[in-house]
Amino acid sequence: MWDDAHVEPDAEIGAGSTIGRGVTVGRGVRIGARSKIQNGALLYEPAIVAEGVFVGPGVVFTNDRVPRAVLPDGRVKEADDWEHVGVTIGHGASIGAGAVCVAPVAIGRWSMVAAGAVVTHDVPDFGLVAGVPARRVGWVGRAGHRLVPLDDRTHECPVTGARYRFDGTDLQETSA
């Protein structure tokens, strides 16, 4: 844990994880083992980060569908005046620098969110998303490299040789 990190009560950080300078980990956030949360990231409750996840510098996980400082009658909005919604990140996923994940949203296993993307919809396992709003622009393997299509359904990792099969909706790893 680097200096200036702020970890609120009831947060859980798994063994072997790194929390960078100026990171905020909100109350009740769960971070799995061997994850890396880079400088200036803001992870608000009730975020769940699986094992082996990379969260780049300046990433923001929101937690309120209707953010307001005050209620319609002018009273200050308290914690009980809104529904906490979270961001869920799957095992091995990577979130690029400056990305914003707008809750509620789930980022799939081994997926990759490009730097600066604004994620407003769920990302499938192995999905590569980019843009504002983020859209799937390809697939990545466990090594993080863009998969090469061999035909309409089969993709291969150029680094590991692992093969993946697209069923029309999801991508499944078929060999390593």
Side-chain angles (χ1 to χ4, degrees):
M1 178 136 1
W2 290 25
D3 62 332
D4 270 350
H6 178 76
V7 179
E8 293 187 13
D10 300 322
E12 292 180 11
I13 300 171
S17 290
T18 301
I19 307 297
R21 178 184 175 96
V23 169
T24 294
V25 179
R27 180 180 305 274
V29 169
R30 307 285 182 257
I31 298 172
R34 300 176 313 281
S35 291
K36 186 172 188 177
I37 314 301
Q38 293 279 280
N39 297 349
L42 306 173
L43 284 61
Y44 296 112
E45 74 280 355
I48 299 171
V49 177
E51 293 185 4
V53 169
F54 176 86
V55 175
V59 168
V60 177
F61 293 175
T62 71
N63 68 348
D64 190 352
R65 290 180 201 200
V66 185
R68 293 281 195 221
V70 296
L71 296 168
D73 64 7
R75 289 182 294 127
V76 172
K77 196 172 180 181
E78 301 290 336
D80 291 339
D81 293 325
W82 54 284
E83 174 190 0
H84 295 230
V85 292
V87 173
T88 302
I89 311 295
H91 184 92
S94 294
I95 316 299
V100 176
C101 298
V102 180
V105 70
I107 311 294
R109 299 175 308 113
W110 300 105
S111 62
M112 184 173 289
V113 174
V118 177
V119 181
T120 59
H121 293 90
D122 292 351
V123 176
D125 292 350
F126 304 105
L128 170 62
V129 299
V132 179
R135 300 280 185 247
R136 191 177 65 74
V137 295
W139 300 103
V140 294
R142 289 179 184 240
H145 292 269
R146 188 180 277 232
L147 298 178
V148 176
L150 301 178
D151 58 41
D152 288 346
R153 301 247 185 228
T154 308
H155 294 72
E156 184 177 71
C157 176
V159 174
T160 66
R163 295 256 175 123
Y164 299 79
R165 182 123 178 108
F166 183 61
D167 67 9
T169 305
D170 296 313
L171 193 73
Q172 302 294 326
E173 192 169 20
T174 60
S175 69

